[in-house]
């Protein structure tokens, strides 16, 4: 048990500091950097779930694992669904750019 | 009903409660993701956050997650003294984390960047503030548990509650990983 | 008084297609609903206890029947689904209507419990009354200075929400001359039931005549005065001096430019 | 010192005074009766502080029926205004009318259907799975009392504040924001939903763990009764979506209390985000209400056809499919908010796909009647009522899921008719079927079948007479929530027909009350001695009616009588909900020291409960 806590602790520190250094020194291009640090966060999530919370090592029907997977999927639906929908809706909010162009210039069709 | 059965049942019940808490945080994350560009002419994330400060906060919380694990090892070995020490260390680490967070909030408000300034700041304060509230509940729970251990010793009744306390503390560190990544790191990308 | 089934008495290019769509979808769905109802009541009648008809207590499943019913339902949902997908694009409120005639832009502002229609070309505005020529595509730019409302003229076309700080668009075209009932279909406070207006489709000549009389006889619009809450406003027309009134209303709630 | 609470918050209009007087009189009569019969002690020890799920279930049903009475009165007032008082000067004011339909919506969805559902579940589920109690008895009592605190918040405006929220049952900002609703109305609405939502969430976790962990040995998942399966799916939905409601309401109340800008129109706020978040909970919520009825109907139809349910595993698979899909469809509530054609099409098609598993569930219930021995008890009549209404309601639902059609009928009376068909024809008929099916198990005496069937016929005829005109009005372009409409549209005649329908439903409801009183008076003549009057399958029928406190002396599947522990009664649930009530009351009236007091009090009670080690007593059966 001690080994799993220690391993989880060290791995988490490495993942956190790695993400930190990547961002502070601006090593990668913007798009790639976002994906990498999100990936590092997800890896650290799984490390802590297994090492600290001992997920999946329950005897009998694994209700904890099933409830974790269903919650994670609802979480993804909530967050990604909101972002996709709100960006789709916001498509029509006049962006700063659009407003600057329209300032006082009357569009005649 | 045998004791292990009730322990098993309340552990699953508490786990499902943690999942519902995670979903509430999901809504706060979704609101932060949607509203963070709306700074209403006010300061944006990059101008407000100092990454080194937050890195220290994160490492402190990570260490406290480790020490609560050690405390639980002591509990399983029925080593009352050792358990009290490790819970104490976890408590202090948690308190420092909370103090640093309140310090950061205080600076922001002093600079005029309070939650009333823009939708971005509202969602920032609510997301990080709710996490801070959960930390304070965890600290209160830990304090009460330490008194219980000190007075009543490590009985099965108390051990079952300590397992749930440790579960709750690890869970808070997991939520903080994503706050650290999405709120702080992404602001510098 | 003659009852006007507005959804089955379409007078607009968009609403006609919507009515046909309603009828086809209802027909498709009845294919599944009617057998289910007939089945229920024949079984209830045929196998009632007093009739002592065939009794097979242990039969409790038949995979072929399940797959048959599942396939039947999937077929219906696929057909309704393709209709939905095609029409979601064909009748998209943001898609301009193609026509050889020149489209007219009318700007719609939902205020606290009345509608303001601004004609940017002819710099006039009118409250709770809207006129436009028939067979001419109308581009409606919709915003609000009030709680959420929803602009709807059932006989001409679908509805679109009117929201603060947001410019939504809707395109309709009247096929026939006539007065059509328009209203807000989203609760927006005390005077919500008064958010009604008449949309008049008329010939080009009448439309130009209406614009002329409006330009001559109406007073100038004091927007801040009009925006104050009021209920059941009578249709009136105004002169609008400010050319970008609509954009300034949108900008009232919009994102102030980042001044850093 | 008292925030914005002041003397003019006391009732001063005819309807608040009327309500306060009637509530006061009702309370007084009850108090006198209890003190004369010295029943206060009995009430407190036997019922209010009870942790027995059967007693909590009965209390849920009683509170829900009281709320049904008030919700029904609201519906009658709304329809009387639209049918008779339209155009006259002495109709209800717009504000008052809007408060009534807001309260009607919240009461019927949150307090009546959820309350009755939880009542039936608390009573029947432990019996059906062969358990003696639910997983967490104390939390069960706490969630009931949080539900009651929520119900009080809903009616408190009669006594203090004078007006409830007039922003509809889901209170979209900016209308529900500070700018357009500065009063206490929306705050009452928020806290009523927040506190009862907390209770529902705790109740959901409780029953979920009960079903997962406390089934009798030998009862695998695929051997569970269909009502237990439906409850399991409904609880999974509660656990997955009620946290979204809690978080969204917190954001709205922060907007109103400390000036954050989540859903304001200015300073970067985005009201559309509220619409998105509230419907992420809103749509699954209507499935949470609907799914248990599928389970009840499946059991009723198999009992009254003397046949096993047709296609058991298919029905279970369809229930799970409906549960998962219901979290992927919420955008069909705002097709018309400016989303793109592809996003609208995606959510429209997802909504239609749910019609497939729903169709299979209904099809399997119908096929159960095939070659059966059908007897038409009252529960069976409710099932036939369900099929005849739910099929039309489902058809209207699929029509509404086509975006291009929804552009026309969104927020019209067609939509109102649709969801009333699903809520009354589906959920409420399911509850009535369950109520009449298990009534003798709960009370020990059978109800008179003749009155029950007459009540059913009143309900089904009344339903069609009142809601078919609404479908027609929807096609005439009539929109919902209108307190006044101009008579030239010719709608008044249809509104009058549907008001007559409401009167027929009212007679049905009256007959049900009559049935209860008649049953109670004649309870000795038709006692349920066998414990299984309908000769139905299921563990709940193997116990006496009503079953002993511990449900089963010997857990089914085991053969020896062993000593076991039963939970003691505890008042902590009442105290914690009392303190949570103070938190809400302080927030509504901006009395912040009261909120702080409430929080501290609640925490102290929870700690006292957590440290209490002897919460059970030993039961030894000879």
């Amino acid at each position: 048990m001690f080994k799993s806590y220690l391993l989880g602790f060290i791995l988490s520190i490495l993942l956190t500091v790695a993400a930190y250094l990547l961002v502070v020194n601006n090593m990668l291009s913007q798009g790639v950097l976002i994906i990498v640090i999100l990936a590092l966060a997800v890896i650290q999530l799984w490390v802590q779930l297994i090492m600290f919370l001992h997920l999946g090592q329950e005897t009998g029907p694994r209700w904890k694992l099933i409830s974790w997977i269903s919650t994670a999927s609802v979480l993804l639906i909530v967050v990604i669904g909101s972002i996709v929908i709100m960006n789709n809706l916001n498509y029509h909010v006049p962006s700063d750019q659009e407003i600057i162009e329209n300032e006082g210039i009357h569009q005649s069709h | 009903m045998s004791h292990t059965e009730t322990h098993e049942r309340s552990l699953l019940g508490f786990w499902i409660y943690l999942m519902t808490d995670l979903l509430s945080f999901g809504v706060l994350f979704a609101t932060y993701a949607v509203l963070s560009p709306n700074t209403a002419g006010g300061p944006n994330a990059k101008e407000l956050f100092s990454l080194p400060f937050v890195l220290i906060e994160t490492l402190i919380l990570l260490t406290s997650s480790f020490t609560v694990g050690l405390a639980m090892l002591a509990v399983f070995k029925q080593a009352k003294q050792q358990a009290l020490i490790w819970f104490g260390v976890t408590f202090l680490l948690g308190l420092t984390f909370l103090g640093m967070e309140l310090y950061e909030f205080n600076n922001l408000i002093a600079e005029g960047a309070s939650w009333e300034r823009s939708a971005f700041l509202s969602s920032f304060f609510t997301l990080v503030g709710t996490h801070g509230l959960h930390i304070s509940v965890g600290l209160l729970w830990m304090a009460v548990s330490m008194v219980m251990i000190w007075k009543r010793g490590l009985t099965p009744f108390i051990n079952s509650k300590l397992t749930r306390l440790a579960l709750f503390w690890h869970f808070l560190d997991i939520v903080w990983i994503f706050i650290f990544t999405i709120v702080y790191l992404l602001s510098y990308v | 008084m003659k009852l006007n089934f507005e959804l089955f008495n379409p007078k607009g290019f968009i609403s006609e297609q919507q009515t046909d769509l309603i009828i086809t979808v209802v027909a498709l769905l009845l294919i599944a609903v009617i057998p289910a109802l007939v089945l229920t009541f024949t079984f209830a009648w045929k196998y009632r206890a007093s009739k002592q008809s065939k009794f097979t207590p242990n039969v409790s499943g038949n995979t072929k029947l399940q797959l048959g019913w599942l396939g039947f339902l999937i077929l219906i949902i696929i057909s309704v689904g393709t209709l939905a997908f095609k029409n979601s694009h064909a009748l998209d409120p943001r898609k301009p209507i193609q026509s050889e005639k020149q489209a007219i832009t009318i700007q719609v502002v939902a205020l606290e419990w009345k509608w303001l229609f601004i004609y940017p070309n002819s710099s006039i505005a009118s409250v709770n009354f809207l006129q436009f020529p028939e067979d001419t595509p109308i581009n409606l730019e919709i915003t609000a200075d009030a709680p959420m409302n929803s602009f709807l003229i059932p006989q001409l076309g679908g509805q679109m929400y009117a929201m603060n700080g947001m410019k939504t668009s809707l395109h309709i075209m009247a096929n026939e001359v006539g007065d059509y009932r328009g209203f807000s279909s989203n609760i927006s406070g005390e005077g919500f039931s008064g958010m009604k207006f008449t949309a008049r489709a008329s010939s080009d000549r009448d439309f130009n005549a209406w614009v002329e009389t409006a330009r001559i006889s109406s007073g100038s619009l004091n927007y801040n005065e009009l925006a104050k809450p009021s209920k059941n406003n009578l249709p009136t027309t105004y002169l609008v001096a400010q050319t970008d009134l609509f954009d300034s209303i949108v900008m009232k709630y919009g994102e102030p430019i980042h001044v850093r | 010192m008292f925030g914005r609470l002041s003397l003019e918050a006391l009732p001063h209009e005819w309807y608040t005074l009327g309500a306060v007087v009637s509530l006061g009189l009702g309370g007084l009569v009850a108090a006198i009766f209890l003190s004369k019969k010295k029943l206060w002690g009995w009430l407190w020890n036997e019922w209010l502080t009870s942790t027995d799920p059967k007693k909590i279930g009965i209390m849920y049903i009683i509170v829900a029926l009281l709320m049904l009475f008030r919700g029904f009165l609201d519906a009658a007032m709304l329809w009387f205004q639209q049918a008779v008082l339209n155009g006259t000067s002495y109709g209800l004011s717009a504000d008052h009318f809007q408060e009534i339909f807001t309260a009607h919506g919240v009461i019927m969805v949150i307090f009546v259907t959820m309350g009755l559902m939880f009542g039936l579940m608390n009573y029947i589920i432990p019996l059906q799975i062969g358990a003696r109690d639910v997983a967490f008895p104390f939390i069960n009592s706490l969630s009931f009392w949080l539900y009651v605190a929520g119900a009080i918040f809903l009616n408190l405006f009669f006594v203090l504040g004078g007006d409830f929220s007039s922003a509809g049952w889901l209170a979209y900002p900016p209308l529900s924001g500070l700018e357009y609703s500065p009063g206490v109305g929306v705050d009452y609405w928020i806290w009523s939903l927040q506190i009862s939502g907390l209770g529902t969430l705790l109740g959901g976790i409780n029953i979920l763990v009960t079903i997962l962990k406390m089934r009798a040995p030998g009862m695998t998942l695929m051997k569970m009764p269909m009502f237990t399966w439906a409850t399991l799916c409904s609880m999974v939905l509660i656990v997955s979506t009620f946290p979204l409601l809690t978080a969204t309401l917190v954001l709205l109340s922060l907007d109103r209390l400390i000036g954050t800008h989540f859903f304001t129109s200015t300073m970067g706020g985005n009201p559309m985000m509220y619409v998105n978040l509230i419907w992420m909970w809103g749509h699954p919520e209507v499935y949470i209400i609907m799914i248990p009825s599928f389970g009840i109907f499946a059991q009723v139809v198999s009992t009254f056809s003397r046949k096993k349910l047709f296609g058991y595993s298919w029905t279970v698979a369809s229930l799970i499919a409906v549960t998962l899909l219901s979290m992927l469809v919420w955008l069909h509530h705002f097709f018309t908010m400016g989303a793109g054609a592809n996003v609208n099409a995606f959510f429209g098609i997802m909504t239609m796909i749910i019609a497939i598993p729903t169709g299979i569930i209904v099809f399997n219930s119908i096929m159960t009647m095939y070659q059966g021995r059908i007897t038409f008890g009252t529960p069976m009549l409710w099932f036939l009522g369900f099929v005849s209404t739910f099929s039309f309601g489902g058809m209207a639902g699929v029509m509404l899921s086509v975006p291009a059609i929804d552009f026309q009928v969104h927020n019209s009376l067609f939509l109102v008719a649709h969801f009333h068909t699903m809520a009354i024809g589906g959920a409420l008929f399911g509850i009535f079927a369950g109520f009449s099916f298990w009534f003798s198990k709960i009370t020990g005496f059978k109800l008179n079948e003749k009155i029950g069937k007459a009540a059913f016929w009143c309900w089904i005829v009344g339903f069609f007479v009142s809601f078919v005109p609404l479908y027609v009005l929807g096609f005439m372009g009539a929109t919902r929530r209108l307190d006044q409409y101009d008579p030239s549209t010719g709608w008044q005649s249809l509104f009058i027909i549907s008001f007559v329908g409401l009167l027929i439903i009212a007679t049905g409801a009256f007959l049900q009350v009559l049935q209860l009183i008649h049953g109670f008076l004649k309870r000795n003549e038709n006692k349920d001695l066998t414990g299984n009057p309908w000769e139905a399958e299921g563990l709940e029928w193997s116990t006496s009616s009503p079953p002993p406190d511990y449900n089963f002396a010997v857990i089914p599947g085991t053969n020896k009588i062993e000593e076991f522990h039963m939970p003691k009664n505890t008042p902590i649930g009442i105290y914690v909900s009392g303190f949570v009530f103070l938190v809400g009351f302080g927030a509504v009236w901006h009395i912040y020291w009261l909120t702080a007091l409430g929080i501290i009090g609640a925490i102290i009670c929870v700690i006292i409960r957590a440290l209490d080690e002897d919460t059970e007593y030993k039961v030894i059966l000879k």
Side-chain angles (χ1 to χ4, degrees), chain D residues 359-513:
Chain D
I360 288 173
I361 292 169
V362 175
F363 166 74
N364 277 312
S365 297
I366 297 170
M367 279 309 293
T368 309
M369 293 163 39
Y370 179 68
Q371 291 180 343
R373 268 290 181 285
I374 301 171
T375 48
F376 295 102
T378 328
M380 188 57 179
L381 286 182
W382 289 113
F383 167 69
L384 293 176
F386 157 73
V387 173
S388 48
T389 52
F390 191 79
S391 34
F392 293 106
M395 188 168 85
V398 177
M399 281 169 68
L400 281 157
S401 70
V402 176
I405 297 179
D406 189 66
F407 294 150
Q408 281 282 8
V409 282
H410 174 64
N411 271 355
S412 72
L413 285 182
F414 180 86
L415 167 74
V416 170
H418 158 67
F419 67 69
H420 277 92
T421 312
M422 306 300 262
I424 297 174
L428 200 63
F429 279 15
I431 290 169
F432 287 157
F435 200 72
S436 40
F437 190 51
W438 284 304
F439 187 86
S440 61
K441 179 55 63 185
I442 293 173
T443 58
F445 59 89
K446 293 196 285 270
L447 284 176
N448 177 303
E449 280 286 281
K450 270 204 297 312
I451 309 176
K453 289 179 181 165
F456 163 75
W457 285 109
C458 284
W459 267 93
I460 192 76
V461 169
F463 174 82
F464 279 112
V465 169
S466 52
F467 285 102
V468 167
L470 283 198
Y471 279 108
V472 172
L473 279 166
F475 286 134
M476 293 171 69
T479 185
R480 68 196 284 198
R481 295 173 165 169
L482 285 179
D483 55 294
Q484 292 288 349
Y485 55 88
D486 43 32
S488 65
T489 52
W491 297 342
Q492 186 140 23
S493 44
L494 287 168
F495 273 117
I496 290 171
I497 297 170
S498 58
F499 184 68
V500 167
L502 180 117
L503 297 181
I504 303 173
I505 291 179
T507 38
F510 175 71
L511 281 174
Q512 283 173 316
V513 171

Side-chain angles (χ1 to χ4, degrees), chain A residues 78 82 85-86 88-90 92, chain D residues 272-273 276 280 338-340 343:
Chain A
V78 165
S82 293
I85 290 172
M86 292 322 284
N88 194 289
L89 290 175
N90 282 357
H92 310 291
Chain D
M272 301 182 293
M273 185 58 180
N276 176 44
M280 271 190 204
V343 167

Side-chain angles (χ1 to χ4, degrees), chain C residues 2-44:
Chain C
K2 194 176 82 49
L3 295 181
N4 178 3
F5 292 86
E6 293 179 355
L7 263 64
F8 292 103
N9 176 12
K11 290 285 190 296
F13 174 72
I14 298 279
S15 55
E16 264 159 13
Q17 299 173 57
Q18 283 168 336
T19 305
D20 302 340
L21 184 62
I22 290 176
I23 294 165
T24 9
V25 165
V26 165
L28 278 171
L29 293 176
L30 283 179
I31 299 170
V33 166
I34 292 183
L37 283 173
V38 165
L39 222 59
T40 312
F41 291 105
T42 36
F43 287 164

Side-chain angles (χ1 to χ4, degrees), chain D residues 25-39:
Chain D
L25 277 182
L28 202 65
V29 163
I32 293 168
F33 170 77
L34 285 173
S35 358
K36 231 162 60 300
K37 290 247 181 347
K38 293 195 226 7
L39 288 176

